[in-house]
């Protein structure tokens, strides 16, 4: 069943906005998604009716606030089919979740002579934390290359992972839209006893996520890309692994007991949640998951395949040789993310001209500079879609790109 | 008139399409790289400085129309100037790009306060209305400044 985009659009207040009489065409959801009114209502409701610090009050308000935070955790648990709520840790964003893994599991398990494996598709958030730790510990970072269609080149995969301790990769690329074969890679890495982390920042908002079926050990994502607010992210990890890891940040919440001599850590998941948490954001994330679940992740994915297919066809047929589209050719092998370059016009200039039409797309390196080097470009333009986009948005984009072409090519 | 016409003046598009002084200079010419961290654009400025005079200047790298046109125009005005003259021109250009100054002096500054005629470069005045693009316009200039500093130790 297809989704009713016209109806969905109405749920997003910012999409009602027009600037200089032109409606907003938002095609930058890989950067951050827009939020439905229900998310904002949940956050406001929290502050209007329930605000109190959590886990430490002995009055009703505090108990209700705690129930909101822990209720959001349960919501996330079932959304990603985790075994236990103990496995769901709230962080500031995906970046912090990845820094948590590198600073706890990484610091404990990696030393000179070891190796970890990343891919050329990675966002800086899944590169720099490892480089920081490698500079300190002296382990090796190996890279899985990509092929001409933006898929991982697995021809020497077994060799690459040989002797490595960690495989950490994006389940979906934020630049090329590529879906990586999570289950297959994980099985092969597990045969060698490796730990596997999937950066699902782009995957979870657009594809049904079942951590048990995927088989990985760690999964990270960020709330603001799945209709939720900025300021909340999720680290999911297998309970046994999380249990074995030292804490990340120290302070309140994460301790069981503190004496002058030292401290003992709290139970999971609070062991990794130092200080006052983001309760309103958790309420917003909870509402965002409800919104997505009501529509259905598979329906959303199907809508995006259809729309991506339409956009790929349309861009190719309108601009032919003058546009270079990166990444997998088939819409069902990629998410709703299309990166391209345009003859004669730089990505920055393209967004500038489109901005005049109130069309929002991103230009730049998309926090994936190593990938830009592999693609041999300094920057690309990136269009990214979500459940509130439709063919009319793509048509507006194409019209805007004609304007770009008229301005920059003679 | 669309505000885009203010930004993309014909002279800017001309320099973008046919950049002047593009390429490299072999050593002992000085080579200096500049990055725009925001968008990943990269510029390489080659300067051949002989007896306090900029004998030759070339530009490599890649970037948007604003950064490329600004670099191209910069090479035209800087080539053959003494280091002192170059410093004055750089100062005048930076002043034009200073968003606060331009707001204070009221829109289109005809010529810069220091009395230096920036010629074609004045076409870049429209950029100040697009704050994120100011970094594009000043990239080559900051790299040139760094280059001269490095040469003079
Ligand atoms: C693949 C990927 N990983 C990580 C991140 C980082 O997300 P955040 O900035 O919310 O931590 C992003 C978002 O830009 C992303 O696309």
């Amino acid at each position: 069943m297809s989704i009713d985009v016209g109806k969905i659009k109405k749920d997003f207040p910012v999409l009602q906005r027009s600037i200089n009489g032109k409606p907003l065409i938002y095609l930058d959801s890989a950067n951050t998604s827009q939020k439905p009114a229900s998310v904002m209502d949940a956050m406001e409701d929290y502050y209007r009716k329930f605000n109190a610090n959590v886990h430490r009050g002995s009055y009703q308000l505090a108990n209700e606030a705690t129930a909101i935070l822990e209720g959001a955790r349960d919501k996330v648990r079932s959304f990603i089919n985790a075994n236990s709520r103990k496995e769901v840790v709230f962080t500031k964003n995906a970046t912090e979740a990845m820094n948590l893994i590198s600073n706890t599991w990484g610091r404990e398990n990696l030393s000179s002579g070891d190796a970890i494996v990343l891919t050329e598709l990675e966002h800086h958030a899944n590169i720099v934390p490892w480089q920081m730790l490698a500079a300190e510990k002296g382990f090796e970072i190996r890279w899985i290359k990509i092929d001409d269609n933006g898929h991982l080149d697995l021809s020497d995969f077994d060799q690459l992972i040989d002797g490595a301790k960690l495989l950490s990769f994006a389940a979906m690329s934020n630049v090329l839209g590529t879906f990586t074969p999570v289950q297959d890679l994980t099985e092969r890495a597990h045969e060698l006893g490796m730990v596997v982390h999937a950066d699902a920042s782009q995957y979870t908002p657009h594809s049904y996520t079942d951590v048990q079926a995927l088989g990985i050990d760690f999964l990270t994502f960020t709330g603001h890309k799945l209709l939720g607010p900025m300021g909340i992210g999720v680290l999911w990890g297998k309970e046994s692994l999380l249990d074995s890891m030292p804490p990340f940040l120290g302070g309140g919440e994460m301790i069981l007991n503190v004496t002058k001599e030292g401290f003992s850590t709290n139970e999971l998941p609070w062991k990794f949640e130092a200080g006052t948490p983001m309760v309103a954001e958790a309420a917003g994330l909870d509402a965002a998951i409800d919104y997505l679940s009501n529509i259905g992740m598979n329906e959303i994915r199907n809508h995006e395949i259809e729309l991506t297919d339409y956009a790929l066809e349309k861009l190719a047929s309108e601009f032919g040789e003058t546009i270079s589209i990166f990444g997998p050719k088939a819409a069902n092998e990629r998410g709703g993310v299309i990166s391209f370059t345009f003859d004669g016009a730089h990505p920055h200039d393209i967004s500038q001209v489109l901005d005049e039409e109130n069309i929002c797309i991103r230009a730049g390196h998309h926090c994936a500079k190593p990938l830009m080097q592999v693609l041999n470009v300094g920057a690309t333009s990136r269009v990214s879609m979500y459940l509130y986009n439709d063919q009319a948005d793509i048509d507006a984009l194409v019209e805007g790109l004609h304007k770009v072409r008229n301005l920059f090519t003679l | 008139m669309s505000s885009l016409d203010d930004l993309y003046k014909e002279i800017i598009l001309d320099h973008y399409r046919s950049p002047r002084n593009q390429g490299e200079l072999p050593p002992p010419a000085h080579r200096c790289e500049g990055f725009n961290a925001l968008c990943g654009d990269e510029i390489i400025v080659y300067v051949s400085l002989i007896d306090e005079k900029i004998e030759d200047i070339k530009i490599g790298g890649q970037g948007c129309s604003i950064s490329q046109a600004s670099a191209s125009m910069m090479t035209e005005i800087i080539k053959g100037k003494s280091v002192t003259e170059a410093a004055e021109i750089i100062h005048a250009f930076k002043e034009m790009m200073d968003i606060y100054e331009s707001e204070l002096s009221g829109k289109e500054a005809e010529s810069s306060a220091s009395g230096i005629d920036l010629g074609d470069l004045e076409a870049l005045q429209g950029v100040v209305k697009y704050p994120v693009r100011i970094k594009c316009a000043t990239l080559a200039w900051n790299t040139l400044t760094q280059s001269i500093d490095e040469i003079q130790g």
Side-chain angles (χ1 to χ4, degrees), chain A residues 30-31 93-96 98 123 125-126 170 172-174 199 201-202 222 224-225 362 367 382:
Chain A
N31 206 347
N93 48 35
T95 303
E96 188 182 80
M98 288 181 242
H123 185 281
N126 191 29
M172 176 185 145
S173 159
N174 67 313
D199 171 4
S201 300
Q202 297 292 341
T222 195
H224 68 93
K225 293 188 204 280
R362 180 151 177 209
C367 297
R382 183 186 70 184

Side-chain angles (χ1 to χ4, degrees), chain A residues 42-54 59-66 68 279:
Chain A
M43 296 177 75
E44 188 178 327
D45 223 38
Y46 166 74
Y47 278 118
R48 285 190 183 279
K49 296 186 200 147
F50 304 104
N51 181 50
N53 213 327
V54 293
Y59 43 88
Q60 183 171 340
L61 205 63
N63 293 338
E64 286 170 352
T66 304
I68 287 174
V279 187

Side-chain angles (χ1 to χ4, degrees), chain A residues 344-346 348-350 352-353 355-356 362-365 369 376-379 403 406-410, chain B residues 2-4 7-8 10 13 16-17 35-41 62-66 130 132-133 136:
Chain A
H346 186 275
H348 241 184
D349 294 312
I350 294 175
Q352 187 91 58
V353 176
D355 181 45
E356 204 71 8
R362 180 151 177 209
H365 53 64
K369 287 199 82 170
N376 198 22
V377 292
K403 213 177 142 186
N406 292 340
L407 186 61
F408 284 97
T409 52
L410 279 181
Chain B
S2 143
S3 52
L4 272 188
L7 183 63
Y8 295 121
E10 196 45 49
L13 292 176
Y16 177 48
R17 291 186 191 117
F35 291 94
N36 184 342
L38 197 74
C39 58
D41 285 353
Q62 52 182 346
C64 65
S65 62
I66 302 300
Y130 298 86
V132 291
R133 304 304 294 273
C136 309

Side-chain angles (χ1 to χ4, degrees), chain B residues 37-58:
Chain B
L38 197 74
C39 58
D41 285 353
E42 177 189 12
I43 208 157
I44 306 163
V45 176
Y46 298 87
V47 172
S48 166
L49 192 72
I50 298 169
D51 295 337
E52 292 288 297
K53 191 173 154 212
I54 297 172
E55 284 293 337
D56 204 357
I57 177 166
K58 289 231 187 288

